[in-house]
Amino acid sequence: MKRKLTIAVCIAGMMVSVAACGGGGGSGRESSDTGADTKELTVWLTVDAQNNWPELVKAADEAIEKKHPGITITHEYYGWPDKNAKLDAVLATDKAPDVVEMGNTEMLAYMVKGAFAPLDAAKFDNSDAWLDGLKASVTYEGKAYGVPYYAGGRVANWRKDVFADAGVKSTPKTYDELTAALDKVQKKQGDKFSAWYQPTRDWYAAMSFVYDAGGSIAVESGGKWKANLSSPESIEGLNEFKNVVDKYMHGDKTKDESDRYIVYGQGKSGMIFAPAWEGATAAAKENDKTGKLAGNVENFVLPGPSGKNMPVFLGGSDLAVPVKSDAQTVAAEWINAFTGPSGQKGLIAKGNLPNNKTDLATLKDDPATAVPATAAESNWFVPMAPGWGRVEKAQILQTMLQSIGTGKQSVEEAAKTADAEIDKVINNE
């Protein structure tokens, strides 16, 4: 998934409009009896589908076109940074799309405000085995308001030739082995090269260090959430993240991870920590500017400083049906065609994790997928707090990390600032 999972809380005008047609908690029209005879369907997906698995989109379209002859299916594709602003704007009108892709951390704010129609989970393939984190992300007050699309943990990916040239020929099994290998590469390649290209604003990676050290973004007590980045454990994790950025990241310290696979393909780095598909995508002919990456990049489970596998953010995408859609029944059918067994098989082949435990269990037995499946076993997820969407929209974590990476603030100062900002909004819907 490459994926950048950003979030926006719905704008006020959109919320007034949504409330007028259904109210909070999605008490609007049931998708089971709305739009069964529609002649048009509009599907919003991110550019991940457009760029990486268009054939799966086409297969879902064909399944619906066969069931509903004469139907016209229109697709619109958006980048993660601007998707939700456009969605909020259109949901304030009467021209809502029928299917929308959401990052799993984005769902809560929209479900709370009644933006999505309730769905009958039993009508979707493998719903009884959906991954726990993804199932939780589409569930509010006991009802499902979305369908898990795919999951993505993070893995390390290195260039075997670069590390072999520095005398390292096998993937590290401990953090000490990892840093020793990186030190050798950095010395060999010089300070214009990033032994580990780790974008500073990549909060998914940074928070893995925090959780590995026993820290967290926030903690709940008595029904209220409080930021926890200033705790000793969280500070320990942030300090180690800063150490990585200082020693091995010699690129722009103000960047996020959105073009990491492109930078990797330019041959300017030896290793990344990213969604499993990024290494292979960097090595694709159109992205590999070195001509050396194909067959020469390798995923491995990132060892953490704690001595255990690095806990990874189990992110992913969900698909939802806006409550204002006039084609809710067919929209649900399209989602099932897209996320069903054949779709999951195709997504796995692209380096993603499936949306269900049944398929995930089979991946550990296949050398091609064992690494991401194993890495996903140790995972963390964002605080399921009512105001989490506000935290992400304000980019509080990214701002903190940039301040740390650029030296604008010390780790302790930046964490304290971030905690104060998080506490202002995390308990507010």
Side-chain angles (χ1 to χ4, degrees):
M1 43 183 132
K2 184 314 0 284
R3 359 214 293 79
K4 179 177 176 183
L5 299 178
T6 55
I7 184 168
V9 177
C10 302
I11 60 176
M14 169 270 196
M15 285 311 162
V16 171
S17 180
V18 169
C21 74
S27 55
R29 301 167 292 181
E30 293 287 343
S31 61
S32 61
D33 58 9
T34 303
D37 58 350
T38 187
K39 297 301 181 183
E40 297 181 353
L41 191 73
T42 301
V43 178
W44 280 20
L45 299 172
T46 68
V47 292
D48 298 331
Q50 182 182 32
N51 295 337
N52 299 313
W53 43 88
E55 69 277 12
L56 304 184
V57 177
K58 182 180 179 181
D61 288 351
E62 290 174 346
I64 297 305
E65 289 164 353
K66 182 177 180 179
K67 186 173 182 179
H68 300 276
I71 193 171
T72 298
I73 303 176
T74 302
H75 293 279
E76 295 188 31
Y77 296 94
Y78 296 92
W80 286 100
D82 59 359
K83 173 182 68 68
N84 284 9
K86 294 179 179 180
L87 176 61
D88 292 346
V90 78
L91 288 180
T93 74
D94 292 324
K95 297 182 180 180
D98 304 302
V99 176
V100 294
E101 177 180 352
M102 307 293 294
N104 60 351
T105 67
E106 298 173 344
M107 287 291 294
L108 181 61
Y110 288 83
M111 293 189 295
V112 167
K113 299 299 184 180
F116 298 144
L119 302 173
D120 183 357
K123 293 184 177 181
F124 296 89
D125 293 320
N126 291 318
S127 60
D128 58 344
W130 283 343
L131 296 177
D132 293 340
L134 297 187
K135 181 178 180 180
S137 74
V138 300
T139 304
Y140 180 67
E141 294 185 341
K143 289 186 177 181
Y145 291 92
V147 175
Y149 170 10
Y150 65 91
R154 278 159 172 71
V155 299
N157 182 285
W158 74 354
R159 284 185 55 180
K160 292 185 288 185
D161 59 337
V162 170
F163 280 83
D165 192 44
V168 182
K169 298 184 179 180
S170 59
T171 55
K173 300 299 186 289
T174 69
Y175 194 71
D176 285 344
E177 289 180 3
L178 172 65
T179 56
L182 290 166
D183 288 342
K184 291 178 180 178
V185 168
Q186 197 63 68
K187 182 177 180 180
K188 180 79 174 180
Q189 297 290 335
D191 59 11
K192 294 185 181 297
F193 186 86
S194 295
W196 178 347
Y197 181 75
Q198 179 50 65
T200 309
R201 291 172 65 87
D202 178 10
W203 64 276
Y204 302 107
M207 292 305 106
S208 287
F209 282 88
V210 167
Y211 281 91
D212 181 70
S216 61
I217 299 170
V219 293
E220 182 183 18
S221 178
K224 294 290 184 179
W225 288 85
K226 184 171 178 56
N228 192 48
L229 293 168
S230 295
S231 69
E233 296 83 1
S234 296
I235 292 296
E236 179 183 345
L238 289 171
N239 273 320
E240 187 54 38
F241 179 76
K242 175 177 170 54
N243 185 52
V244 166
V245 171
D246 286 348
K247 291 183 67 176
Y248 308 122
M249 166 61 176
H250 297 283
D252 185 345
K253 299 293 178 69
T254 68
K255 292 190 66 172
D256 64 18
E257 70 279 16
S258 58
D259 66 346
R260 174 174 43 211
Y261 71 95
I262 294 175
V263 175
Y264 196 35
Q266 291 170 344
K268 298 178 180 180
S269 54
M271 179 186 129
I272 57 175
F273 177 45
W277 61 267
E278 285 198 28
T281 302
K285 186 176 181 179
E286 63 271 22
N287 297 320
D288 180 8
K289 304 307 180 184
T290 71
K292 299 178 181 179
L293 270 63
N296 199 31
V297 292
E298 180 181 15
N299 283 338
F300 62 96
V301 178
L302 185 68
S306 68
K308 300 178 181 179
N309 289 343
M310 183 73 85
V312 299
F313 172 73
L314 190 59
S317 277
D318 300 324
L319 298 171
V321 179
V323 73
K324 285 190 171 184
S325 167
D326 292 323
Q328 292 180 19
T329 296
V330 180
E333 291 174 355
W334 189 93
I335 291 173
N336 194 42
F338 190 49
T339 63
S342 61
Q344 293 302 305
K345 183 178 180 180
L347 288 165
I348 290 169
K350 296 293 184 176
N352 299 292
L353 296 177
N355 67 2
N356 65 90
K357 299 173 185 177
T358 304
D359 287 331
L360 184 67
T362 66
L363 301 187
K364 291 185 67 176
D365 297 326
D366 183 346
T369 54
V371 168
T374 300
E377 291 179 325
S378 177
N379 60 74
W380 61 273
F381 195 60
V382 299
M384 291 299 285
W388 176 251
R390 295 176 182 267
V391 176
E392 286 207 39
K393 183 180 182 182
Q395 297 193 1
I396 295 171
L397 297 179
Q398 292 95 320
T399 300
M400 174 190 72
L401 294 170
Q402 183 170 322
S403 293
I404 290 171
T406 59
K408 182 179 180 180
Q409 289 182 297
S410 69
V411 168
E412 291 77 10
E413 290 169 339
K416 184 177 180 180
T417 299
D419 276 353
E421 293 300 311
I422 290 172
D423 284 338
K424 290 178 183 178
V425 299
I426 196 168
N427 291 298
N428 303 325
E429 291 184 359

